[in-house]
């Protein structure tokens, strides 16, 4: 294929659209995995598309891509220069070690640089496949289908919000499909569209797609019909609740004596929080495990009355940077929702602190009441990685109730806990080992198919060794019990996870809406020398703990820090940026969908309907011009002449000349010529019959016939 300026301009537009669509593939991966260096991945996509467009020899493109991949990995995962011997040695050593792991089938032990290498190779292959679809098949239907399916799946089954991405992909995909359809049609007919004609055909498509997208964006949207598609899909397959469990309703409750059973989703908003970032909200802890659930050991029960705006004697450590938050409960919650590091509560009244559970009840005029608004002052703790990893920390004496276990706890639960933690020397490492255990041993998150344990069965034992399926109560209870089984103080915590960011308040705080669906339970562990620290064993949730990696790690020490820990700070840094983007998008949507714009939407739809009706009614006036412009670009042959003659008959019918069923073409042509005072219709009809009924069609002068046809069809506009 000869490549000129027109080729590079045309395919450059195609690849630019592909780049934007591929960016919508990359965004959720970066967001959900908290992966940094996203601009390096985008640059590799752009580089791959540019090399595909230039069509350089294969060995040159391979050399450039491999060089970029090597540069990326050395830049991201080492402190060496790409041009240094140390950098190349790092690359070689890492590749050699990972190949050894693959040969030994230790697939979970591959390093992060090697995972990055595999991901870049995947992008390389995807770009090559797209290039093949565009240049050979001139169609991207399957690519667009995969993109929409990929984004929709992540939007449904993860925290990623893919609504804007799907709209963007659909609009760009429709435009690209139109471009490629025109390219494929012109290639099939062997014609070369001029720039003016090219834009003449494409501008209506571009305008229509943009207009359709704008109207679709303005239209009111129905609320989701499924609160959670996973239970709905399972119900269609007849899986039911499993084990005869009684299904409850999600939300915060006081009674935890009998855990188990599934629950249905409830998206009712129970409170709004104005805060600097999304976080966990504690309500209370429980300490006594009964083999079926949790109760409070009241043997040493005490309460404290604390006036408003006084320092609270909570057990969670605090940080150094004070922050403020405001809570607006929408349900009857006569207690304080506590961020980690809570120091003071401000409202017109006082609080009662339960010394056993650390639940803070709100009191106004000597009555426990639910507030409609209160302010919080807190300082989020940051846990020193040096202290967490210090094996020489003195063992602190902690209340024995945080080591309580039932006397009939199955022995295999203790054995499993000891097996998981046997290779670790610090409390933190042992807790992290148990926390990771659920991620790596075929456990699954489920809210429907959860049965209650039998009368003589332990709740944790059933979960660990039989079902391996559950939600937060299963995971958190199991972790607390296993920690206590290896003499690590732990307690069960109830509250809410962060909710959905919906806007920004006047004082600059982000507004989060927390639903019943966000009710949650997790674990707090007492780490010697550090204090109580939160852990999150439930699959699909991230720990709220903020860790200060205050040491320079060697390469060997860095292996001890799991990927989730290393990414935690990056996740927290990016959260505010993502929240800002979400806020702007939702604010724009909210502004457009107000009542005033709905009136304009009705006016716009009426205007569009009127324009469409007028264009249809006057199609006899403008269709001939379109037909003539299309005919000028086509190669004149028998096939195109057949199509042109058929269009002429249709246009004459719109003009008022309809051929009767028993009327010959010759007689009809004479009737037309008599009306217009020409012989063009007879000439065209004679040529048409020769082409159809004889073998002399190849001898026809199609260029002259095109002039006769153009003159006659233009006459029908009058």
């Amino acid at each position: 294929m000869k490549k000129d300026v027109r080729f590079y301009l045309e395919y450059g537009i195609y690849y630019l659209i592909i780049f934007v669509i591929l960016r919508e593939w990359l965004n959720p991966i970066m967001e959900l995995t908290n992966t940094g260096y996203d601009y390096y991945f985008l640059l590799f996509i752009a580089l791959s598309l540019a090399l595909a467009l230039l069509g350089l020899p294969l060995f040159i493109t391979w050399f450039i891509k491999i060089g970029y991949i090597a540069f990326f990995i050395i830049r991201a995962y080492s402190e060496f220069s790409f041009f240094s011997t140390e950098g190349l040695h790092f690359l070689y050593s890492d590749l050699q070690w990972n190949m050894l792991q693959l040969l030994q089938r230790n697939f979970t032990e591959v390093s992060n640089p090697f995972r990055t290498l595999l991901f870049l190779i995947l992008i390389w292959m995807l770009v090559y496949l797209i290039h093949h679809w565009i240049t050979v098949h001139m169609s991207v239907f399957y690519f667009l289908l995969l993109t929409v399916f990929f984004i929709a799946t992540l939007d449904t089954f993860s925290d990623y919000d893919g609504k804007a991405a799907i709209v963007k992909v659909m609009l760009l995909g429709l435009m690209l499909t139109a471009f490629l359809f025109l390219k494929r049609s012109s290639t099939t007919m062997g014609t070369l569209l001029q720039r003016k004609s090219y834009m003449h055909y494409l501008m209506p498509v571009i305008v229509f797609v943009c207009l359709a997208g704008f109207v679709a964006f303005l239209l009111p949207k129905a609320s989701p019909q499924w609160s959670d598609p996973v239970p709905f899909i399972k119900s269609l397959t007849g899986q039911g609740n499993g084990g005869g469990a009684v299904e409850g309703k999600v939300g915060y409750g006081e009674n935890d004596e009998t855990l188990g059973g599934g629950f249905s989703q409830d998206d009712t908003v129970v409170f709004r929080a104005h805060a600097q970032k999304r976080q966990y909200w504690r309500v209370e802890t429980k300490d006594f495990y009964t083999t079926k659930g949790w109760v409070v050991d009241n043997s040493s029960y005490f309460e404290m009355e604390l006036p408003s705006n006084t320092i609270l004697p909570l057990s969670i450590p605090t940080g150094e940077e004070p922050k403020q938050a405001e809570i607006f409960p929408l349900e009857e919650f006569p207690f304080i929702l506590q961020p980690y590091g809570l120091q003071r509560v401000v409202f017109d009244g006082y609080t009662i602190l339960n010394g056993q559970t650390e639940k803070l009840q709100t009191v106004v005029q000597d009555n426990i009441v639910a507030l409609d608004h209160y302010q919080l002052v807190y300082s989020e703790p940051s846990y020193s990685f040096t202290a967490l990893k210090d094996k020489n920390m003195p063992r602190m004496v902690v209340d024995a109730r945080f080591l309580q276990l039932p006397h009939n706890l199955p022995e295999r639960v203790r054995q499993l806990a000891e097996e998981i933690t046997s290779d670790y020397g610090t409390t933190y490492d042992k807790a992290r080992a148990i926390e990771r255990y659920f991620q790596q041993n075929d456990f699954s998150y489920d809210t429907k198919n959860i049965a209650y344990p039998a009368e003589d069965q332990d709740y944790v034992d059933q979960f660990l060794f039989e079902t391996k399926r559950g939600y937060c109560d299963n995971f958190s209870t199991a972790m607390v019990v296993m920690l206590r089984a290896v003499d690590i103080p732990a307690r069960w915590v109830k509250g809410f996870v962060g909710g959905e960011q919906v806007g920004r308040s006047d004082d600059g705080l982000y507004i989060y809406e927390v639903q019943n669906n966000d009710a949650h339970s997790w674990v707090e562990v007492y780490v010697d020398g550090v204090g109580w620290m939160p852990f999150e064993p439930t699959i699909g949730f991230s720990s709220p703990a903020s860790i200060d990696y205050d040491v320079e790690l060697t390469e060997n020490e860095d292996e001890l820090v799991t990927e989730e820990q290393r990414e935690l700070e990056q996740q927290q840094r990016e959260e505010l940026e993502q929240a800002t983007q979400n806020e702007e998008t939702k604010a724009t949507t909210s502004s457009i969908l107000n009542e005033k714009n709905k009136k304009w939407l009705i006016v716009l739809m009426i205007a569009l309907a009127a324009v469409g009706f007028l264009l249809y009614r006057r199609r006899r006036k403008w269709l001939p011009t379109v037909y003539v412009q299309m005919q000028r670009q086509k190669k004149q042959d028998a096939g195109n002449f057949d199509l042109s003659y058929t269009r002429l008959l249709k246009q004459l019918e719109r003009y008022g000349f309809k051929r009767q069923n028993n009327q010959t073409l010759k007689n009809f042509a004479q009737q037309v010529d008599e009306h217009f005072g020409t012989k063009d219709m007879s000439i065209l009809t004679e040529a048409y019959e020769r082409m159809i009924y004889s073998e002399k069609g190849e001898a026809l002068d199609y260029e002259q016939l095109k002039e006769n046809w153009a003159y006659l069809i233009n006459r029908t506009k009058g």
Side-chain angles (χ1 to χ4, degrees):
M1 180 187 297
K2 184 179 179 181
K3 297 182 179 180
D4 52 12
V5 176
R6 177 191 176 91
F7 171 87
Y8 290 113
L9 181 61
E10 186 176 11
Y11 279 85
I13 295 174
Y14 301 162
Y15 288 146
L16 179 61
I17 296 175
I18 290 295
F19 174 79
V20 177
I21 295 176
L22 283 175
R23 188 173 181 270
E24 299 304 326
W25 280 69
L26 191 63
N27 284 344
I29 296 175
M30 299 293 103
E31 178 181 330
L32 295 175
T33 61
N34 296 315
T35 302
Y37 297 99
D38 53 336
Y39 45 91
Y40 281 107
F41 288 105
L42 287 172
L43 185 59
F44 182 71
I45 294 175
L47 176 66
S48 300
L49 290 171
L51 292 175
L53 176 64
L54 295 174
L56 298 176
L58 191 63
F59 74 92
I60 295 180
T61 61
W62 276 60
F63 178 78
I64 295 174
K65 291 178 182 178
I66 292 174
Y68 180 86
I69 291 174
F71 162 77
F72 180 7
I73 293 176
I74 293 175
R75 170 71 177 81
Y77 294 101
S78 76
E79 299 179 352
F80 307 120
S81 169
F82 172 67
F83 300 101
S84 66
T85 305
E86 293 85 354
L88 297 177
H89 178 70
F90 163 78
L91 197 65
Y92 172 76
S93 300
D94 185 78
L95 183 62
Q96 185 182 43
W97 188 85
N98 283 284
M99 293 306 297
L100 178 62
Q101 300 307 309
L102 293 179
L103 291 175
Q104 296 177 351
R105 299 184 179 181
N106 297 328
F107 302 118
T108 60
E109 300 298 325
V110 296
S111 65
N112 286 334
F114 191 72
R115 292 189 180 101
T116 302
L117 171 65
L118 296 179
F119 184 57
L120 290 171
I121 292 175
L122 180 63
I123 294 176
W124 185 343
M125 296 171 62
L126 180 61
V127 170
Y128 174 79
L129 185 60
I130 295 171
H131 171 70
H132 176 77
W133 280 335
I134 289 179
T135 56
V136 177
H137 298 285
M138 298 181 188
S139 173
V140 289
F141 173 76
Y142 294 111
F143 171 61
L144 292 177
L145 185 65
L146 286 173
T147 303
V148 172
F149 178 77
F150 173 71
I151 296 175
T153 301
L154 291 182
D155 180 81
T156 302
F157 297 101
S158 73
D159 294 332
Y160 176 69
D161 185 357
K163 292 188 289 292
I166 288 182
V167 172
K168 190 185 303 183
V169 167
M170 288 303 300
L171 294 179
L172 292 174
L174 288 173
M175 289 185 186
L176 183 57
T177 299
F179 294 163
L180 293 175
F181 175 79
L182 184 61
K183 178 68 176 177
R184 187 168 63 252
S185 300
S186 62
T187 302
T188 302
M189 294 185 295
T191 60
L192 182 63
L193 294 177
Q194 300 301 319
R195 182 180 303 174
K196 184 177 180 180
S197 300
Y198 192 83
M199 295 306 299
H200 178 77
Y201 294 135
L202 285 181
M203 281 307 297
V205 176
I206 296 175
V207 171
F208 176 78
V209 170
C210 293
L211 192 60
F214 179 71
V215 171
F217 187 70
L218 288 176
L219 287 174
K221 312 298 189 297
S223 59
Q225 300 303 303
W226 299 346
S227 57
D228 185 351
V230 176
F232 181 82
I233 294 171
K234 290 183 176 180
S235 67
L236 291 180
T237 60
Q239 295 183 32
N241 293 330
V246 178
E247 183 174 297
K249 191 175 183 180
V250 67
Y252 180 84
E254 301 284 347
N255 192 333
D256 303 297
E257 294 181 14
T258 305
L259 299 179
F263 61 81
S264 59
Q265 300 291 327
D266 180 11
D267 56 4
T268 302
V269 177
V270 293
F271 71 91
R272 291 189 178 91
H274 295 191
Q276 292 186 13
K277 69 172 188 175
R278 183 181 288 106
Q279 57 198 309
Y280 278 38
W281 301 95
R282 300 171 78 238
V283 175
E284 62 180 329
T285 68
K286 293 193 175 181
D287 51 23
F288 196 90
Y289 176 62
T290 66
T291 75
K292 294 294 187 292
W294 290 96
V295 295
V296 177
D297 180 7
N298 290 320
S299 59
S300 56
Y301 175 80
F302 68 94
E303 288 183 347
M304 297 177 61
E305 292 186 1
L306 301 168
S308 172
N309 206 21
T310 59
I311 298 297
L312 299 171
L314 299 174
S315 61
I316 297 294
T318 58
E320 298 178 356
E321 180 183 355
K323 300 177 182 178
Q324 291 188 349
E326 290 187 81
I327 304 297
F328 298 86
L330 303 177
E331 295 287 332
E332 293 294 319
F333 285 167
F335 47 76
I336 297 298
L337 295 150
Q338 309 172 25
Y340 271 89
L342 178 62
Q343 295 175 318
R344 291 180 284 125
V345 181
V346 182
F347 70 100
D348 292 331
Y350 63 92
T351 58
I352 295 178
L353 172 63
N354 185 317
Q356 306 302 110
T357 66
E358 294 200 344
K359 189 174 187 178
L360 284 166
Q361 292 181 301
T362 51
V363 181
V364 177
Q365 296 181 353
D366 296 329
N367 294 313
I368 297 177
V369 297
L371 304 177
D372 56 9
H373 169 249
Y374 52 89
Q375 295 179 321
L376 304 173
V377 178
Y378 67 102
S379 182
E380 183 182 8
S382 181
Y383 297 92
S384 166
F385 186 72
T386 302
L388 293 172
K389 303 289 286 185
D390 190 350
K391 298 180 180 180
N392 298 318
M393 284 290 182
R395 185 68 184 266
M396 304 299 293
V397 178
V398 182
D399 197 319
R401 59 194 176 95
F402 298 121
L403 293 171
Q404 174 272 335
L405 286 173
H407 69 278
N408 57 343
L409 180 73
E411 185 61 28
R412 60 179 180 176
V413 175
R414 297 181 186 274
Q415 292 175 353
L416 177 62
E418 292 172 355
E419 178 183 338
I420 295 171
T421 60
S422 60
D423 294 334
Y424 300 94
T426 66
T427 299
Y428 173 75
D429 286 335
K430 291 181 178 182
R432 286 289 294 126
I434 294 177
E435 185 183 47
R436 289 194 303 268
Y437 175 77
F438 302 104
Q439 313 286 335
Q440 303 169 352
N441 291 275
D442 299 324
F443 287 84
S444 61
Y445 184 89
D446 193 353
T447 62
K448 288 289 184 181
N449 300 326
I450 311 302
Y452 290 101
E455 184 177 352
D456 58 347
Q457 190 174 31
D458 184 88
Y459 175 72
V460 169
D461 182 82
Q462 178 199 47
F463 172 65
L464 290 176
F465 299 101
E466 295 185 13
T467 64
K468 288 193 172 184
R469 177 190 291 116
Y471 43 91
C472 57
D473 291 347
N474 300 88
F475 289 95
S476 57
T477 300
M479 181 172 179
V480 172
V481 169
M482 285 198 289
L483 285 167
R484 293 181 176 184
V486 290
D487 296 324
I488 295 177
R491 61 191 180 191
W492 192 66
V493 194
K494 293 178 58 180
F496 293 87
V497 291
E500 179 182 6
Q501 191 267 323
V502 296
R504 198 163 188 174
S505 63
D506 295 337
D507 53 3
L509 298 176
Y510 294 102
I511 302 174
Y512 298 94
E513 286 189 346
V514 182
Q515 304 175 355
N516 269 327
N517 289 331
D518 297 314
H520 193 56
S521 62
W522 61 98
V523 178
E524 287 177 357
V525 180
Y526 190 86
V527 181
D528 292 327
V530 174
W532 289 103
M533 177 180 180
F535 284 81
E536 179 55 87
T538 305
I539 293 175
F541 291 80
S542 299
S543 173
S546 175
I547 298 178
D548 177 17
Y549 295 102
D550 51 358
V551 293
E552 290 292 333
L553 301 178
T554 65
E555 184 174 353
N556 291 332
E557 290 172 332
D558 188 64
E559 291 297 325
L560 299 176
V561 184
T562 65
E563 182 177 353
E564 181 178 342
Q565 290 172 305
R566 290 196 302 269
E567 292 173 348
L568 181 59
E569 287 190 345
Q570 178 70 16
Q571 172 188 354
Q572 294 171 342
R573 285 193 298 268
E574 294 176 350
E575 189 173 28
L576 287 179
E577 299 177 7
Q578 183 64 36
T580 302
Q581 296 175 2
N582 292 341
E583 174 203 342
E584 293 173 353
T585 300
K586 292 178 180 178
T588 303
T589 304
S590 176
S591 175
I592 292 178
L593 290 178
N594 58 32
E595 292 298 325
K596 184 182 294 185
N597 285 330
K598 288 181 181 178
K599 297 178 181 178
W600 285 109
L601 175 61
I602 295 174
V603 173
L604 177 62
M605 294 179 66
I606 294 174
L608 288 175
V611 171
F613 178 76
L614 289 175
L615 288 174
Y616 179 78
R617 288 296 301 272
R618 297 181 61 85
R619 65 191 186 283
R620 180 171 65 85
K621 297 289 187 181
W622 55 269
L623 269 178
T625 303
V626 175
Y627 287 155
V628 171
Q629 291 293 330
M630 294 173 62
Q631 192 70 6
R632 286 178 180 174
Q633 305 299 329
K634 291 181 180 179
K635 179 182 179 181
Q636 302 307 310
D637 56 18
N640 286 328
F641 179 68
D642 185 6
L643 179 61
S644 301
Y645 188 84
T646 304
R647 286 176 173 170
L648 177 60
L649 292 177
K650 191 67 177 177
Q651 179 63 16
L652 286 169
E653 182 178 336
R654 298 189 190 100
Y655 183 81
F657 284 99
K658 180 174 176 60
R659 179 190 169 205
Q660 303 301 317
N661 293 333
N662 58 352
Q663 189 177 22
T664 64
L665 283 175
K666 185 175 182 180
N667 181 264
F668 178 72
Q670 291 174 353
Q671 182 182 351
V672 173
D673 285 337
E674 287 176 3
H675 177 80
F676 290 110
T678 69
K679 296 182 179 180
D680 295 287
M681 189 61 186
S682 297
I683 294 173
L684 292 169
T685 302
E686 181 183 0
Y688 180 77
E689 290 179 336
R690 285 176 57 193
M691 183 190 71
I692 297 297
Y693 301 113
S694 70
E695 299 179 356
K696 300 179 180 179
E698 296 181 358
L700 295 175
D701 186 355
Y702 289 108
E703 289 296 328
Q704 180 59 47
L705 291 172
K706 182 176 72 172
E707 297 296 326
N708 299 114
W709 176 87
Y711 174 79
L712 185 59
I713 202 169
N714 279 324
R715 292 290 299 274
T716 63
K717 294 190 296 183

